Amino acid sequence: MARAKSEERRAEILRAALEVIAERGYRGASLNAVAERVGLTQQGLLHYFPTKETLLVAVLEERDQWDTGSGSRSGQSWPLELLGSLVEYNAMRPGIVQTFSALLGESVTEGHPAREFFTRRYVQVREDMADSLRGEYGDRLPGGLTPEQAAPLLVAVMDGLQYQWLLDPEAVDMPAAFRDFVGLLRSGN
Amino acid sequence: MARAKSEERRAEILRAALEVIAERGYRGASLNAVAERVGLTQQGLLHYFPTKETLLVAVLEERDQWDTGSGSRSGQSWPLELLGSLVEYNAMRPGIVQTFSALLGESVTEGHPAREFFTRRYVQVREDMADSLRGEYGDRLPGGLTPEQAAPLLVAVMDGLQYQWLLDPEAVDMPAAFRDFVGLLRSGN
């Protein structure tokens, strides 16, 4: 019972964090702002999430699970159509994309608290995408790549386009550019 | 004369910063560490570069110019072969790639001092790449994309692969993955 309550509180904090991120972006997503929204003291919030980074990583984990409609952390399915829709959806929520991109950038430095999350995430996402592509296309995509070759490129294009789009949303049509890439993977030789 | 001397000092500082980055990575590249290496006080270094970010941005600008063998900031040429070699070269210098990737990540947050540099850089790089691709292939690449469609994807793949590679160099063969992508752009239908 205490446990269920605590889980509920945790979910409530994550929802509040997502709202704060949407409204104020990565820098504005302070532990204080989130604590206020859920009616906790900052001390109370620290009981659930000891640092801003752990809170934001939990938000990103939660997003990954919602995005793929999967309750579990592994075995997510990523058909190419769904990925295109996901990129379109992301183009409507710059706050969370900014948070993801800023944390990913920081995570490549020595000893960053989000490093392990992103490292694990990419191993898992590349594997799930390759499985999913194999289910759709077999051992070769129409464009000639194997699922294992295509997966890291799909991830790279999604992440890389986000940076260009966040910096200059007028100049970069992120969903259209992603569709161009999917077209290359799919076009037969 | 005073001006030539000052330019020379500036170049010396950039070389020292590059060394420090190579040895100690992004976090270790403090103004203090760089000042020490060139025999300046931190106060003396601040005269040339008022913050760590301005120094690192200057290092990245310098790298861009070396990488394309161009002395000027615009009109750089990026044939696809050269890009492949550049990615191979980058795989041998994780320090500067880490610095680029960490700063790029930070730059998408509000009011970051590197934001303008990256925004301008991408406008320029996309334009130069599109021009360069048009020179190589005309109005359509063999894979079917226009130069303007291919340019942001090339940038995205380079940047995105760097994150996966920095986090997990054993799992991601960055040059091979980039070559796979170039193959897609080049393969005829």
Side-chain angles (χ1 to χ4, degrees), chain B residues 65-184:
Chain B
Q65 291 178 33
W66 281 101
D67 281 355
T68 58
S70 159
S72 80
R73 206 165 292 180
S74 65
Q76 295 171 326
S77 180
W78 305 84
L80 283 182
E81 274 310 315
L82 181 140
L83 288 180
S85 307
L86 181 56
V87 173
E88 271 175 40
Y89 181 38
N90 281 338
M92 292 184 290
R93 46 180 187 173
I96 187 87
V97 173
Q98 184 200 45
T99 299
F100 176 92
S101 300
L103 265 183
L104 173 60
E106 293 178 0
S107 78
V108 304
T109 61
E110 292 80 9
H112 191 275
R115 184 169 181 121
E116 201 205 319
F117 162 69
F118 281 108
T119 306
R120 266 193 296 110
R121 178 184 190 272
Y122 282 123
V123 168
Q124 191 68 57
V125 168
R126 284 191 299 260
E127 201 183 302
D128 290 344
M129 276 193 190
D131 285 351
S132 185
L133 290 167
R134 177 159 279 109
E136 276 191 276
Y137 297 102
D139 289 339
R140 290 264 168 202
L141 278 73
L145 297 188
T146 65
E148 284 70 25
Q149 289 175 305
L153 292 178
L154 274 164
V155 179
V157 169
M158 291 179 83
D159 292 347
L161 285 176
Q162 286 178 357
Y163 288 104
Q164 294 179 62
W165 171 73
L166 286 167
L167 289 168
D168 202 348
E170 302 299 311
V172 178
D173 185 339
M174 182 165 74
F178 186 74
R179 278 194 304 272
D180 288 341
F181 176 65
V182 169
L184 287 178

Side-chain angles (χ1 to χ4, degrees), chain A residues 40-55:
Chain A
L40 277 173
T41 60
Q42 184 161 347
Q43 204 52 39
L45 182 64
L46 291 178
H47 171 72
Y48 295 89
F49 298 100
T51 63
K52 174 172 174 172
E53 284 78 17
T54 53
L55 172 58

